[in-house]
Amino acid sequence: MSGRFFDPSLVARTYRDPLAWLSLGTDLVPIIAIILFQWGPTPLVALYWLENLVIGGYTILRLAGSAVTGLGNLLMALFMIPFFTLHYGMFCYGHGIFIKSFSGDGGGGAGYMDVVNWALGSGEGMVWFVAVIAASNMVFYLVDFIGKGELRRTNPAAEMFAPYGRIVTLHVAIILGAFLSIATRQPLLGVLVLIFVRVVFGIVLSVLRRMRLDGQLGKLADKFAQPL
């Protein structure tokens, strides 16, 4: 699989699809916030955390969609939707508390909505950037999941586990960015590392999406290739 993954023709096919450019453009949108609104590391990390919440919302929609293909999937979805909501919600909550404390803002409440409100207020124009991410994910949901019939080929188990890789990737990027910022005393370097890791992660997802659409992924890899 690794040889095919780095095949230039595969990358070229990936970016002949307008949705791959939509994904890349969405990943680069934070640069606008850095230039126009002088965002530092804190609002950027908060944006990526809010993105995880958006992904969670669309995962619930995908779980619900996968239930229409049969009684077995319906029963699985009825169990997994509340389980995922609780488990992923607590996972995001713990991550949110971590980044809120890591940013040095230990004040205010520690409830879920307190963290959400802190994130939304951490940078100028935050709501609009979150809206761009939500709209981008809506396009993928409508085009791939509904339009191309992914809901008939997926299952609730695959959908439930798909978003967790994003959180782990962000967590690693935060630690790496913070380490570089402290070591070099250059906060902008940490910001650039965060954006770079997020863009690379998005490119990987786009290539995996192309491979899935071309039928080149095995069953295990396919579970982690959701265009989220």
Side-chain angles (χ1 to χ4, degrees):
M1 176 178 169
S2 60
R4 289 181 298 172
F5 189 86
F6 295 106
D7 183 352
S9 65
L10 172 60
V11 177
R13 290 200 311 277
T14 297
Y15 284 94
R16 281 198 291 266
D17 187 338
L19 290 191
W21 288 104
L22 173 64
S23 176
L24 180 60
T26 303
D27 292 340
L28 292 174
V29 157
I31 294 177
I32 297 175
I34 294 171
I35 295 174
L36 292 183
F37 303 126
Q38 289 78 52
W39 276 18
T42 296
L44 182 62
V45 171
L47 174 65
Y48 290 151
W49 180 77
L50 289 166
E51 181 184 26
N52 286 332
L53 300 188
V54 172
I55 296 302
Y58 278 105
T59 299
I60 292 172
L61 290 178
R62 294 175 70 97
L63 282 167
S66 69
V68 305
T69 56
L71 180 60
N73 280 352
L74 173 60
L75 294 176
M76 287 178 65
L78 288 175
F79 168 74
M80 287 184 173
I81 289 175
F83 178 80
F84 172 82
T85 301
L86 178 62
H87 187 270
Y88 186 80
M90 293 306 296
F91 201 90
C92 285
Y93 174 65
H95 191 210
I97 291 294
F98 169 81
I99 63 174
K100 185 173 182 289
S101 300
F102 199 76
S103 71
D105 184 3
Y112 213 118
M113 288 309 301
D114 293 317
V115 182
V116 171
N117 290 331
W118 164 80
L120 289 173
S122 62
E124 186 177 352
M126 178 67 74
V127 173
W128 294 107
F129 291 103
V130 175
V132 168
I133 291 172
S136 176
N137 278 271
M138 174 61 76
V139 172
F140 277 101
Y141 180 79
L142 293 176
V143 173
D144 282 357
F145 193 70
I146 303 297
K148 294 183 178 179
E150 282 186 5
L151 78 167
R152 294 188 294 272
R153 298 187 297 271
T154 190
N155 64 79
E159 297 298 336
M160 188 182 78
F161 287 107
Y164 287 92
R166 180 182 300 270
I167 294 183
V168 174
T169 300
L170 175 59
H171 207 72
V172 171
I174 291 172
I175 294 173
L176 178 60
F179 174 78
L180 290 176
S181 295
I182 293 171
T184 63
R185 297 183 181 179
Q186 294 291 333
L188 181 60
L189 183 59
V191 170
L192 294 176
V193 167
L194 280 171
I195 294 178
F196 176 78
V197 171
R198 181 61 189 86
V199 168
V200 170
F201 186 67
I203 292 173
V204 170
L205 287 181
S206 291
V207 173
L208 288 173
R209 171 180 174 267
R210 181 72 264 163
M211 294 179 72
R212 186 184 68 254
L213 293 174
D214 292 345
Q216 297 179 353
L217 284 183
K219 291 183 178 180
L220 179 60
D222 189 48
K223 293 181 179 181
F224 300 97
Q226 304 299 341
L228 297 174

